[in-house]
Amino acid sequence: MFLKPFRIKSQTAIKGSDRKKLRTQVGQQFSVECYLMDLVPNKEDITVIKLNTHSGSDVVVYSIHGNPAFFELDMVLYPTVYTLWKFPGLLTVFTTWPPVFKKLTSGADLMLPGLIVKGEVRPNFMGGFQKGTPCSVKLLGNK
């Protein structure tokens, strides 16, 4: 989505009411009540950037102190890599090998043979996931 050029439509500071809406949306979507104030702080500068991607999709990016923290695509909020570095348990994490990761960055789908799984893979291994559930992928030895 962000490999090709994109166009910035607008960039504004967030209002207090929009900050509360963002905090509520993050709390509901990620179930992180314990460190919600760290994810969407009260006194920090938060900017809303509206983008138009190369494919024509509209994306809203929320950045804190110039670092993108979340982006919203099709009414779904996703954390950025910067946010996942600070809060690695925010999403379900799958671990893979570096050669597989190169294929993923080129647009390939992650499949079970590309995962590093501890223990035995049983038929209900992926049973707790619905199609479209956000998750993160990390390399072996990297958080």
Side-chain angles (χ1 to χ4, degrees):
M1 173 186 336
F2 295 110
L3 288 178
K4 294 186 178 182
F6 55 87
R7 186 175 60 85
I8 297 176
K9 291 169 67 175
S10 68
Q11 182 173 353
T12 58
I14 197 168
K15 299 179 210 170
S17 59
D18 291 336
R19 184 185 303 257
K20 289 178 186 176
K21 287 179 189 175
L22 176 62
R23 187 176 295 127
T24 303
Q25 188 177 3
V26 168
Q28 288 174 349
Q29 191 165 339
F30 300 111
S31 302
V32 290
E33 296 299 324
C34 55
Y35 48 88
L36 189 56
M37 294 302 284
D38 295 331
L39 283 167
V40 185
N42 266 340
K43 302 291 181 183
E44 306 293 330
D45 294 331
I46 299 179
T47 307
V48 178
I49 305 164
K50 294 182 181 178
L51 305 173
N52 190 298
T53 63
H54 183 75
S55 63
S57 301
D58 290 329
V59 180
V60 178
V61 178
Y62 298 95
S63 66
I64 301 171
H65 281 303
N67 291 326
F70 296 97
F71 66 95
E72 187 176 352
L73 177 66
D74 297 331
M75 304 300 291
V76 179
L77 197 65
Y78 299 96
T80 63
V81 173
Y82 298 107
T83 304
L84 290 174
W85 281 338
K86 291 180 184 177
F87 305 98
L90 199 57
L91 296 176
T92 302
V93 179
F94 294 110
T95 307
T96 190
W97 305 99
V100 174
F101 193 74
K102 287 181 185 178
K103 299 289 185 184
L104 293 175
T105 58
S106 299
D109 292 333
L110 180 62
M111 297 183 193
L112 190 58
L115 292 178
I116 299 172
V117 181
K118 295 180 182 175
E120 184 180 345
V121 178
R122 299 200 171 134
N124 64 353
F125 174 71
M126 299 297 286
F129 296 100
Q130 299 293 325
K131 183 177 180 177
T133 302
C135 62
S136 63
V137 179
K138 72 173 189 166
L139 293 177
L140 182 65
N142 190 347
K143 71 174 189 173

